[in-house]
Amino acid sequence: MAPQIKYTKLFIDNKWVDAKSGKTFETRTPHDGSVIAKVAEGDKADIDEAVSAARRAFHRNSEWRLMDASRRAVILNKFADLIERDSKYLVELESYNNGMVVSMANRFLASTVANIRYIASLADKVQGDTIPVDGEAFSYTLKQPIGVCGLILPWNGPIPLFSNKVTTALAAGCTVVVKPAEQTPLSALALAALLAEAGLPPGVVNVVNGYGETAGNALTHHPNVNKISFTGSVEVGKLIQQAAGVNNLKRVTLELGGKSPLIVMNDADLNTAIPCAANAVFTHQGQVCVAASRLFVQSGIYDKFVEEAVKHARARKIGNPADPTTQNGPQVDEEMMNKVLGYIEKGKKEGARLLTGGKRIGNTGYYIEPAVFVDVKDDMTIAREEIFGPVQSILKFDTLEEALDRANDTNYGLAAGIFTTNINTALQFTKHVEAGTVWVNTYFATGPQVPFGGFKESGIGRERGINCLEEFMEVKTVTYSLPKKI
Ligand code: NAD
């Protein structure tokens, strides 16, 4: 049964409001393409109103600014409690609007709650330094919230991405305007309602749904926004970096795409490596920023590996994401499905060999069979561009040196992995590979305690980890006169 849709308006100043233009847009379920609801379509006028609300909430005498950091943590922990209370509903909503299989939505929800609690625990641990200065002075540093932050989200992990960005900004004491992805607006609105229920004062969190070119663009150009934290594609990330410098000089954090290499050495434990490599690229239908979309397999085990990889791709259970046993659901929308099918055609045309999958399933919904390509060369489009679909590209290599050079031959640098039983091989690889996250004999393992972000064009800045609040704070140096003699 379809989940009830409780919220479809914009959330500004803790109130539900229509877009000033009165416009709405349709949001669909990727399972069959049917319309779920019409959602208020915010644009520049609504962003202006939301930024004003966030600015008022950031005033030095506001309830939010006068609140103790430990009280902010209480509200964030309450938010986590409410997510747990509503977890069944939120999982159904996420799966329905996004196509994410419920087993994954459940895992994401559990990790979201853990992440919020970890971030909440950092709120009252912010400290500066005391610094002796040569001469007759001493200094100390204050770490203070940056101000009003624009948070722009992608569609591939709506609940964890909303929760992570919002709670980090709030723990640091900022106020925010969130622009969720136009494909998946519903869970952000449900979470905004929970934040209000948790006791967040008006204007601290505002949610304006709408399109990137209108609402998103207005947020990134707004002169009263101090920072943009963005997760999405490299293409849009570059636009955001440019926009941030047009009307003021916004601080920018970018979490962008990847073309992550996974290396399997001859000495690897194949019982672990083969299923792990399949999961690393097929999970969430390949719509994962760290997806292992370039799989380098050493020549000694290549043929055996390929044979098993095909079996794993064929064995994946594809179907309605609401079924708890489903492993692969639909792509998020028709446009993404066609984009992925286009990459598969290009792969074939450029000479890669498709061993299994790669076709659309049925005529309703946006389902694609998991595909395995071999004979993939480094300069082929499928080995260079982020596909964001269930497409495993297998490349053959002979030596570690060669694998490293080829793994690093990309503008991306989000994640990488290696399967080996040789510690020296692992140490050399982890040292030299250009990626923000490197996994050894595993893939995807993570937690709130570990920093996450990209090298090169995969991003700027880090999220999560013990220093995550720093991205939402300014350092102020205060210097006092301290005469040498009494
Ligand atoms: P996208 O870049 O198309 O859109 C992301 C957001 O930006 C959306 O809310 C969109 O409306 C907005 N936007 C678009 N144009 C804009 C503009 N001109 N100004 C301001 N905002 C604008 O990305 P997507 O297709 O939603 O998400 C998929 C991408 O996100 C992939 O590249 C994936 O790798 C990446 N991603 C990265 C991470 C990470 O942490 N590194 C996590 C998840 C997804």
Side-chain angles (χ1 to χ4, degrees):
M1 207 179 63
Q4 186 197 351
I5 307 306
K6 300 177 192 166
Y7 307 102
T8 56
K9 297 192 178 193
L10 310 179
F11 184 75
I12 299 177
D13 233 357
N14 276 15
K15 293 190 206 75
W16 296 104
V17 295
D18 290 318
K20 284 187 179 300
S21 66
K23 281 198 215 162
T24 58
F25 65 98
E26 291 175 338
T27 187
R28 293 167 187 273
T29 175
H31 172 55
D32 60 12
S34 61
V35 175
I36 302 174
K38 287 186 174 173
V39 175
E41 184 190 325
D43 58 24
K44 184 175 179 309
D46 308 284
I47 289 289
D48 285 347
E49 182 141 329
V51 172
S52 296
R55 186 50 64 193
R56 282 194 299 280
F58 194 71
H59 187 274
R60 63 180 173 277
N61 293 328
S62 72
E63 184 185 351
W64 181 242
R65 292 302 298 285
L66 295 174
M67 190 182 280
D68 285 347
S70 54
R71 176 70 202 151
R72 294 205 300 269
V74 169
I75 293 177
L76 295 182
N77 276 311
K78 175 81 179 161
F79 177 47
D81 292 344
L82 296 174
I83 292 178
E84 279 187 314
R85 180 196 71 189
D86 290 356
S87 58
K88 187 168 177 297
Y89 172 70
L90 290 169
V91 162
E92 284 170 9
L93 188 66
E94 187 87 322
S95 175
Y96 194 48
N97 199 189
N98 172 278
M100 182 186 298
V101 298
V102 287
S103 56
M104 178 169 176
N106 268 311
R107 284 199 306 278
F108 264 6
L109 207 86
S111 65
T112 294
V113 168
N115 202 33
I116 295 171
R117 293 200 196 290
Y118 176 82
I119 292 166
S121 76
L122 301 175
D124 60 2
K125 313 285 182 304
V126 174
Q127 302 178 352
D129 298 312
T130 308
I131 309 160
V133 181
D134 284 349
E136 298 184 356
F138 90 95
S139 300
Y140 61 83
T141 53
L142 294 172
K143 292 184 181 168
Q144 299 185 320
I146 283 185
V148 174
C149 301
L151 312 179
I152 302 180
L153 309 177
W155 48 261
N156 67 331
I159 289 179
L161 288 161
F162 176 100
S163 305
N164 185 58
K165 281 198 199 298
V166 169
T167 48
T168 311
L170 298 190
C174 295
T175 60
V176 304
V177 175
V178 187
K179 211 298 278 171
E182 51 271 35
Q183 295 88 344
T184 53
L186 297 175
S187 55
L189 297 175
L191 293 173
L194 296 185
L195 280 164
E197 188 181 342
L200 210 61
V204 175
V205 172
N206 307 277
V207 182
V208 178
N209 277 304
Y211 291 95
E213 299 72 26
T214 51
N217 189 58
L219 194 55
T220 56
H221 285 84
H222 203 295
N224 279 334
V225 171
N226 304 100
K227 174 182 171 116
I228 296 288
S229 175
F230 170 77
T231 298
S233 61
V234 172
E235 190 190 351
V236 176
K238 287 180 178 173
L239 292 177
I240 282 171
Q241 174 93 322
Q242 289 164 22
V246 174
N247 292 320
N248 59 351
L249 202 59
K250 293 179 184 66
R251 283 73 182 114
V252 176
T253 304
L254 302 174
E255 293 286 351
L256 308 177
K259 193 71 194 171
S260 300
L262 175 59
I263 315 298
V264 186
M265 304 296 295
N266 285 339
D267 61 20
D269 170 6
L270 293 189
N271 291 330
T272 314
I274 293 166
C276 203
N279 272 327
V281 72
F282 295 138
T283 294
H284 199 19
Q285 301 76 261
Q287 305 169 131
V288 179
C289 53
V290 293
S293 53
R294 288 184 297 150
L295 178 60
F296 291 92
V297 179
Q298 203 167 10
S299 41
I301 52 163
Y302 184 85
D303 291 340
K304 179 169 188 249
F305 195 102
V306 166
E307 201 179 301
E308 293 298 316
V310 168
K311 283 188 202 155
H312 272 84
R314 288 191 178 140
R316 285 188 84 83
K317 187 170 175 211
I318 306 165
N320 190 336
D323 177 341
T325 63
T326 299
Q327 290 175 293
N328 273 43
Q331 308 310 122
V332 74
D333 62 14
E334 190 170 1
E335 190 185 333
M336 271 311 294
M337 175 187 72
N338 288 332
K339 196 172 164 192
V340 174
L341 291 171
Y343 274 119
I344 292 167
E345 280 315 303
K346 216 163 198 173
K348 290 194 271 187
K349 219 177 259 166
E350 290 179 11
R353 205 149 47 89
L354 181 64
L355 294 188
T356 187
K359 287 196 275 306
R360 182 179 181 183
I361 303 172
N363 294 318
T364 52
Y366 313 126
Y367 291 87
I368 298 178
E369 295 168 345
V372 177
F373 274 108
V374 291
D375 299 343
V376 180
K377 301 283 173 278
D378 294 355
D379 59 353
M380 289 179 179
T381 307
I382 58 169
R384 300 215 72 81
E385 296 183 14
E386 186 182 41
I387 298 175
F388 235 49
V391 181
Q392 186 172 55
S393 293
I394 308 186
L395 304 96
K396 195 194 272 194
F397 74 96
D398 291 313
T399 67
L400 178 64
E401 287 281 339
E402 176 199 339
L404 262 167
D405 285 340
R406 292 171 63 189
N408 288 340
D409 179 22
T410 168
N411 293 340
Y412 291 108
L414 193 57
I418 188 164
F419 279 85
T420 179
T421 48
N422 182 322
I423 186 76
N424 287 329
T425 303
L427 286 168
Q428 289 300 325
F429 180 77
T430 52
K431 180 175 176 186
H432 295 292
V433 73
E434 293 162 0
T437 294
V438 190
W439 284 291
V440 179
N441 293 332
T442 184
Y443 208 86
F444 288 150
T446 187
Q449 301 83 355
V450 293
F452 179 75
F455 279 31
K456 303 196 276 189
E457 290 190 19
S458 287
I460 297 176
R462 293 291 179 271
E463 295 190 334
R464 306 203 302 246
I466 200 139
N467 298 318
C468 64
L469 303 198
E470 308 264 336
E471 301 275 356
F472 288 93
M473 291 190 298
E474 295 280 13
V475 175
K476 181 185 283 175
T477 302
V478 183
T479 300
Y480 275 68
S481 158
L482 184 67
K484 278 189 182 135
K485 283 187 180 166
I486 297 174

